[in-house]
Amino acid sequence: MKILLCCRAGVTSNMFASALKDEAAKKEMDIVVWAAAETAVEYSIEQADIVLVTPQLAGDLRKLEGLANSGTPVILIDEEDFRVFNAKKVLDEALEKR
């Protein structure tokens, strides 16, 4: 499974992507997670099975849904979950929508 994490600039989201990978490893899941800044999302969004959107890009959610493949879940990460790096909850919610 491939998860794209869309963010404003990429600093915190790279750390969050790493936390998501760690959670997936605990579940013995084979996933690829990468972060892309909003200016580069269009170059890799079609490769994603799930698209996670950081709270800073909440206003761009519809645009990102339009860029993703039809049927690909595009999920806005809860602000509190992102702030406290609750990667377990975010991954579980993403898997439910898949």
Side-chain angles (χ1 to χ4, degrees):
M1 175 176 21
K2 296 181 246 174
I3 300 175
L4 170 60
L5 181 60
C6 302
C7 57
R8 179 77 58 206
V11 179
T12 307
S13 56
N14 279 315
M15 293 186 295
F16 198 83
S18 181
L20 287 169
K21 290 176 194 176
D22 291 345
E23 287 300 324
K26 290 177 187 176
K27 297 177 184 282
E28 298 182 0
M29 294 179 62
D30 183 26
I31 69 166
V32 174
V33 181
W34 73 101
E38 65 181 322
T39 56
V41 165
E42 64 195 52
Y43 300 110
S44 64
I45 197 167
E46 291 181 353
Q47 298 170 23
D49 298 313
I50 298 172
V51 178
L52 298 175
V53 181
T54 60
Q56 299 89 344
L57 292 181
D60 293 323
L61 189 61
R62 297 288 174 243
K63 174 186 168 189
L64 295 168
E65 289 172 336
L67 290 172
N69 290 331
S70 177
T72 299
V74 178
I75 304 163
L76 179 63
I77 298 172
D78 178 78
E79 191 170 339
E80 180 68 10
D81 291 337
F82 190 71
R83 188 181 66 75
V84 300
F85 273 63
N86 193 348
K88 180 184 182 320
K89 182 179 175 192
V90 172
L91 181 61
D92 288 344
E93 288 176 356
L95 294 173
E96 286 177 14
K97 305 242 178 174
R98 178 176 63 112

